Coordinates of all heavy atoms in Angstrom, one line a residue:
V1 N 13.4 -17.1 1.4 CA 13.4 -15.8 1.0 C 12.9 -15.7 -0.4 O 13.5 -16.4 -1.2 CB 14.8 -15.2 1.1 CG1 14.8 -13.8 0.5 CG2 15.2 -15.2 2.6
Y2 N 11.9 -14.8 -0.6 CA 11.3 -14.7 -1.9 C 11.8 -13.4 -2.5 O 11.8 -12.3 -1.7 CB 9.8 -14.7 -1.9 CG 9.1 -14.4 -3.2 CD1 9.0 -15.6 -4.1 CD2 8.8 -13.2 -3.7 CE1 8.4 -15.4 -5.4 CE2 8.1 -13.0 -4.9 CZ 8.0 -14.1 -5.7 OH 7.4 -13.9 -7.1
S3 N 12.2 -13.2 -3.7 CA 12.8 -12.1 -4.4 C 11.8 -11.7 -5.5 O 11.5 -12.4 -6.3 CB 14.1 -12.4 -5.0 OG 14.4 -11.3 -5.9
H4 N 11.3 -10.4 -5.3 CA 10.3 -9.9 -6.3 C 11.1 -9.5 -7.6 O 10.5 -9.6 -8.6 CB 9.6 -8.7 -5.8 CG 8.5 -9.0 -4.7 ND1 7.2 -9.4 -5.2 CD2 8.6 -9.1 -3.4 CE1 6.6 -9.6 -4.0 NE2 7.3 -9.5 -3.0
L5 N 12.5 -9.3 -7.6 CA 13.1 -9.1 -8.6 C 13.3 -10.3 -9.4 O 13.0 -10.4 -10.6 CB 14.5 -8.5 -8.3 CG 15.6 -8.4 -9.4 CD1 15.1 -7.4 -10.4 CD2 17.0 -8.0 -8.9
A6 N 13.7 -11.5 -8.9 CA 13.8 -12.8 -9.4 C 12.6 -13.4 -9.7 O 12.4 -14.3 -10.5 CB 14.7 -13.7 -8.7
Y7 N 11.5 -12.9 -8.9 CA 10.2 -13.5 -9.0 C 10.1 -14.9 -8.7 O 9.5 -15.8 -9.3 CB 9.6 -13.3 -10.5 CG 8.1 -13.6 -10.8 CD1 7.2 -12.8 -10.0 CD2 7.6 -14.5 -11.6 CE1 5.8 -12.9 -10.1 CE2 6.2 -14.7 -11.7 CZ 5.3 -14.0 -11.0 OH 4.0 -14.1 -11.1
D8 N 11.0 -15.3 -7.6 CA 11.2 -16.7 -7.3 C 11.7 -16.7 -5.9 O 12.2 -15.8 -5.3 CB 12.1 -17.4 -8.3 CG 11.9 -18.9 -8.3 OD1 11.1 -19.4 -7.5 OD2 12.6 -19.7 -9.3
I9 N 11.7 -18.1 -5.3 CA 12.4 -18.2 -4.0 C 13.9 -18.2 -4.4 O 14.3 -18.9 -5.4 CB 11.9 -19.5 -3.5 CG1 10.5 -19.5 -3.2 CG2 12.8 -19.9 -2.2 CD1 10.0 -18.6 -2.0
L10 N 14.7 -17.7 -3.5 CA 16.1 -17.6 -3.7 C 16.7 -18.8 -3.1 O 16.7 -19.1 -1.8 CB 16.7 -16.4 -3.1 CG 16.3 -15.0 -3.8 CD1 16.9 -13.9 -3.0 CD2 16.5 -15.0 -5.2
P11 N 17.4 -19.7 -3.9 CA 18.1 -20.9 -3.4 C 19.2 -20.7 -2.3 O 19.9 -19.7 -2.6 CB 18.7 -21.5 -4.7 CG 17.9 -21.0 -5.8 CD 17.6 -19.6 -5.4
G12 N 19.1 -21.3 -1.3 CA 20.1 -21.2 -0.3 C 20.0 -20.1 0.7 O 20.8 -19.9 1.7
Q13 N 19.0 -19.2 0.5 CA 18.8 -17.9 1.4 C 17.8 -18.2 2.4 O 16.6 -18.7 1.9 CB 18.6 -16.7 0.5 CG 19.8 -16.4 -0.3 CD 19.8 -14.9 -0.7 OE1 19.2 -14.1 -0.1 NE2 20.4 -14.6 -1.9
R14 N 17.9 -17.8 3.6 CA 17.0 -18.0 4.6 C 16.9 -16.7 5.4 O 17.8 -15.9 5.6 CB 17.3 -19.1 5.6 CG 17.7 -20.4 5.0 CD 16.4 -21.2 4.4 NE 15.4 -21.5 5.5 CZ 14.4 -22.2 5.3 NH1 14.1 -22.7 4.1 NH2 13.6 -22.7 6.3
Q15 N 15.6 -16.4 5.9 CA 15.5 -15.3 6.8 C 15.2 -15.8 8.2 O 14.6 -16.8 8.4 CB 14.1 -14.4 6.5 CG 13.8 -13.4 7.5 CD 12.5 -12.7 7.1 OE1 11.9 -12.9 6.2 NE2 12.1 -11.8 8.1
S16 N 16.2 -15.4 9.1 CA 16.1 -15.8 10.5 C 15.2 -14.9 11.3 O 15.3 -13.7 11.3 CB 17.6 -15.8 11.1 OG 18.3 -16.8 10.4
V17 N 14.5 -15.5 12.3 CA 13.6 -14.9 13.2 C 14.0 -15.4 14.5 O 13.9 -16.5 14.8 CB 12.1 -15.1 12.9 CG1 11.3 -14.5 14.0 CG2 11.8 -14.5 11.6
R18 N 14.4 -14.5 15.5 CA 15.0 -14.9 16.7 C 14.0 -14.3 17.9 O 14.2 -13.2 18.3 CB 16.4 -14.4 16.9 CG 17.3 -15.1 15.9 CD 18.8 -14.5 16.2 NE 19.6 -15.2 15.2 CZ 20.0 -14.7 14.0 NH1 19.3 -13.6 13.5 NH2 20.9 -15.3 13.2
R19 N 13.1 -15.1 18.3 CA 12.4 -14.8 19.5 C 11.8 -13.3 19.6 O 12.2 -12.5 20.5 CB 13.1 -15.1 20.9 CG 13.2 -16.6 21.0 CD 13.7 -16.9 22.6 NE 13.7 -18.3 22.8 CZ 14.3 -18.9 23.8 NH1 15.2 -18.2 24.5 NH2 14.2 -20.3 24.1
P20 N 11.0 -12.9 18.6 CA 10.5 -11.6 18.6 C 9.4 -11.4 19.8 O 8.8 -12.3 20.2 CB 9.8 -11.4 17.3 CG 9.4 -12.7 16.9 CD 10.4 -13.7 17.5
D21 N 9.3 -10.1 20.2 CA 8.3 -9.7 21.1 C 7.0 -9.5 20.2 O 5.8 -9.8 20.7 CB 8.5 -8.5 21.8 CG 9.8 -8.6 22.6 OD1 9.8 -9.4 23.5 OD2 10.7 -7.8 22.5
V22 N 7.2 -9.0 19.0 CA 6.1 -8.7 18.1 C 6.3 -9.4 16.8 O 7.5 -9.2 16.1 CB 5.8 -7.3 17.9 CG1 4.6 -7.1 16.9 CG2 5.3 -6.7 19.3
L23 N 5.5 -10.2 16.1 CA 5.7 -10.8 14.8 C 4.6 -10.3 13.9 O 3.4 -10.2 14.2 CB 5.5 -12.3 14.9 CG 5.6 -13.0 13.5 CD1 7.0 -12.7 12.9 CD2 5.3 -14.5 13.6
I24 N 5.0 -9.6 12.8 CA 4.0 -9.1 11.8 C 4.1 -9.9 10.6 O 5.2 -10.2 10.0 CB 4.4 -7.7 11.4 CG1 4.3 -6.7 12.7 CG2 3.4 -7.1 10.3 CD1 4.8 -5.3 12.4
L25 N 3.0 -10.6 10.2 CA 3.0 -11.4 9.0 C 2.1 -10.7 7.9 O 1.0 -10.2 8.2 CB 2.2 -12.7 9.4 CG 2.9 -13.8 10.3 CD1 2.0 -14.8 10.7 CD2 4.1 -14.3 9.6
E26 N 2.7 -10.5 6.8 CA 1.9 -9.8 5.7 C 1.8 -10.7 4.5 O 2.9 -11.3 4.1 CB 2.8 -8.6 5.4 CG 2.2 -7.8 4.2 CD 3.0 -8.0 2.9 OE1 4.3 -8.2 2.9 OE2 2.3 -8.3 1.9
G27 N 0.6 -10.7 3.9 CA 0.5 -11.5 2.7 C -1.0 -11.7 2.3 O -1.9 -11.5 3.1
L28 N -1.2 -12.1 1.1 CA -2.5 -12.3 0.5 C -3.3 -13.3 1.3 O -4.5 -13.3 1.4 CB -2.3 -12.9 -1.0 CG -1.5 -12.0 -2.0 CD1 -1.3 -12.8 -3.4 CD2 -2.1 -10.7 -2.3
N29 N -2.7 -14.4 1.7 CA -3.3 -15.4 2.3 C -3.2 -15.6 3.8 O -3.5 -16.7 4.4 CB -2.6 -16.8 1.7 CG -1.1 -16.9 2.1 OD1 -0.4 -15.9 2.3 ND2 -0.6 -18.2 2.2
V30 N -2.9 -14.6 4.5 CA -2.6 -14.8 5.8 C -3.8 -14.9 6.7 O -3.8 -15.5 7.8 CB -1.8 -13.5 6.4 CG1 -2.7 -12.2 6.5 CG2 -0.9 -13.8 7.7
L31 N -5.0 -14.6 6.2 CA -6.3 -14.8 6.9 C -7.1 -16.0 6.3 O -8.3 -16.1 6.6 CB -7.2 -13.6 7.0 CG -6.5 -12.4 7.6 CD1 -7.4 -11.1 7.7 CD2 -6.2 -12.8 9.1
Q32 N -6.4 -16.7 5.4 CA -7.2 -17.8 4.9 C -7.6 -18.8 5.9 O -7.0 -19.2 6.8 CB -6.4 -18.6 3.8 CG -6.0 -17.8 2.6 CD -7.2 -17.6 1.7 OE1 -8.1 -18.5 1.6 NE2 -7.2 -16.4 0.9
P33 N -8.8 -19.4 5.8 CA -9.3 -20.5 6.6 C -8.6 -21.8 6.3 O -8.1 -21.9 5.2 CB -10.8 -20.6 6.4 CG -11.0 -20.1 5.0 CD -9.9 -19.0 4.9
A34 N -8.6 -22.6 7.3 CA -7.8 -23.9 7.2 C -8.8 -24.9 6.6 O -10.1 -24.8 6.6 CB -7.4 -24.5 8.5

C-alpha cells in the first residue's frame, strides 16, 4: 500500500484482492512495454 500523504510504501499494510470480476489497474507505467 502506497500512501501519498507519507509519500512512501506503508510498512506492514497490504491491499487484498479477492477474485474480482473486473480489475482496474491505474498508473503511470501500466502500458509500459516489457
Side-chain angles (χ1 to χ4, degrees):
V1 175
Y2 181 81
S3 166
H4 286 278
L5 174 61
Y7 195 62
D8 203 355
I9 298 294
L10 298 178
Q13 294 198 29
R14 308 286 294 184
Q15 177 181 356
S16 293
V17 174
R18 299 179 176 88
R19 285 186 173 168
D21 300 305
V22 178
L23 174 66
I24 300 176
L25 292 170
E26 174 263 316
L28 304 174
N29 62 331
V30 75
L31 294 180
Q32 291 288 330

